[in-house]
Amino acid sequence: MRRARRIAAGLLCLLAGACAPRLMPPGPGAPPDTPAPALQRNVFRTADGIPLFLRHWQAQGEEKAVVLALHGFNDHSGAFAGGPEVIGVGPFLADRGITVYAPDLRGFGTSPNAGLWPGVEALTRDLADLSWLIAARHPQSPLVLLGTSMGGATVLAALADPHPPPADKVVLIAPALRARSTLPPGLAIGLFLVAHSVPWYSATGEGLDIRPSDNLPMLRAMGRDPLVLKETRMDALWGLVNLMDAAFKSPPHLKGLPLLIAYGSHDDLVPEQPLRLFASRLPDPDIQTVRTYPGGWHMLLRDLNAEIPLADIATWITAGEVP
């Protein structure tokens, strides 16, 4: 009987291990001749040796500030490049004297093992390392951390870390703040069960009544973009909620840091209530503000009227005020 119980317990442990959420594996370590982390041409090499593609737009004329821009969930750094369907955040800010860097975050875009969740610790460590490298390259310019959706949550979680990135200002575009405490009853439990029983199961989001932007040509272009992930593993969703939990708890760590949150009134992905709860706990309302754009959507900087919030952001970065 004891032997049978031991065998049963062992099988249950194996089953639990097989069904545990899977994280993106760490990199191979830095090459012997390359200090890690490192900032190279079009590449940010992480502390564990993973090469992450890095876009760069140099400020035109006198450099007024430097922005490190982080993309959203299942997206990549091309979100800031622009094209025939949308204004490019990078070129727009560069034309106004603001240098922009935008990496493919670990687990997304061109990075290895894209589609596997990298983990909160890996995301925030990469952000801190890259921020210090960029600050060292541009010592005379203020460094602004800009994050859209999941990128915004990554910025907040990193600022709450014991080893935060350097930042003179922060801009958050529709930051992902759906912490467990803001989810409908039972949803967090259901996500836990799914992520720990069938973590490999993928969902596409088809059939959901969600409209991320009013820019339909841009959305169609995203649908054709092979670097935009079209399916999401359940354990990746579980990891995203962990990140949003960390971001939602960050306000005590933001004291004294100028912060601008831009939010579209038609945002279907980030409800207004979690954002209101978060904003109510900001420690310095005199320098930390939420700007709501009537008619704006979740992809606010890629909407048809994206030039309006983009111009406001550029003015706030360089002059410290929103028109």
Side-chain angles (χ1 to χ4, degrees), residues 31 61 218 240 248:
M218 178 273 298
L240 177 62
F248 196 72

Side-chain angles (χ1 to χ4, degrees), residues 145-238:
L145 301 182
L146 183 152
T148 65
S149 194
M150 183 198 78
T154 303
V155 169
L156 292 171
L159 291 170
D161 190 82
H163 304 286
D168 296 291
K169 290 184 176 183
V170 171
V171 178
L172 306 175
I173 313 300
L177 293 169
R178 295 298 307 272
R180 284 177 174 80
S181 59
T182 71
L183 293 174
L187 182 56
I189 296 175
L191 181 56
F192 174 88
L193 293 175
V194 172
H196 288 77
S197 57
V198 285
W200 40 264
Y201 182 78
S202 297
T204 63
E206 291 184 10
L208 298 178
D209 187 19
I210 293 176
R211 183 179 176 185
S213 175
D214 61 352
N215 190 339
L216 296 183
M218 178 273 298
L219 293 175
R220 294 190 187 103
M222 286 187 68
R224 298 188 298 266
D225 187 345
L227 294 180
V228 174
L229 297 175
K230 311 301 190 299
E231 296 184 352
T232 303
R233 289 173 55 103
M234 290 297 103
D235 50 7
L237 281 178
W238 169 254

Side-chain angles (χ1 to χ4, degrees), residues 29-220:
D33 58 342
T34 304
L39 191 57
Q40 302 164 338
R41 180 176 177 83
N42 295 328
V43 171
F44 162 54
R45 191 170 295 278
T46 66
D48 56 345
I50 294 179
L52 298 180
F53 179 61
L54 182 68
R55 297 177 192 261
H56 174 218
W57 295 270
Q58 184 60 40
Q60 301 301 304
E62 179 186 359
E63 183 177 86
K64 301 174 183 177
V66 179
V67 165
L68 173 52
L70 304 187
H71 61 76
F73 189 64
N74 285 351
D75 210 343
H76 61 98
S77 60
F80 303 106
E85 308 89 1
V86 63
I87 297 174
V89 176
F92 184 94
L93 295 180
D95 285 344
R96 287 153 182 81
I98 302 170
T99 295
V100 179
Y101 291 88
D104 282 359
L105 295 176
R106 183 185 297 242
F108 300 94
T110 59
S111 73
N113 298 296
L116 291 180
W117 180 248
V120 176
E121 182 180 352
L123 282 171
T124 56
R125 183 182 65 241
D126 287 349
L127 172 56
D129 289 343
L130 181 55
S131 298
W132 283 109
L133 290 168
I134 291 174
R137 178 178 285 186
H138 301 265
Q140 304 303 318
S141 299
L143 177 61
V144 182
L145 301 182
L146 183 152
T148 65
S149 194
M150 183 198 78
T154 303
V155 169
L156 292 171
L159 291 170
D161 190 82
H163 304 286
D168 296 291
K169 290 184 176 183
V170 171
V171 178
L172 306 175
I173 313 300
L177 293 169
R178 295 298 307 272
R180 284 177 174 80
S181 59
T182 71
L183 293 174
L187 182 56
I189 296 175
L191 181 56
F192 174 88
L193 293 175
V194 172
H196 288 77
S197 57
V198 285
W200 40 264
Y201 182 78
S202 297
T204 63
E206 291 184 10
L208 298 178
D209 187 19
I210 293 176
R211 183 179 176 185
S213 175
D214 61 352
N215 190 339
L216 296 183
M218 178 273 298
L219 293 175
R220 294 190 187 103

Side-chain angles (χ1 to χ4, degrees), residues 271-296:
E272 183 178 346
Q273 186 60 17
L275 184 61
R276 283 186 177 275
L277 290 172
F278 179 85
S280 70
R281 295 185 290 114
L282 289 173
D284 287 308
D286 290 340
I287 58 172
Q288 297 170 339
T289 185
V290 178
R291 178 70 182 267
T292 301
Y293 290 85

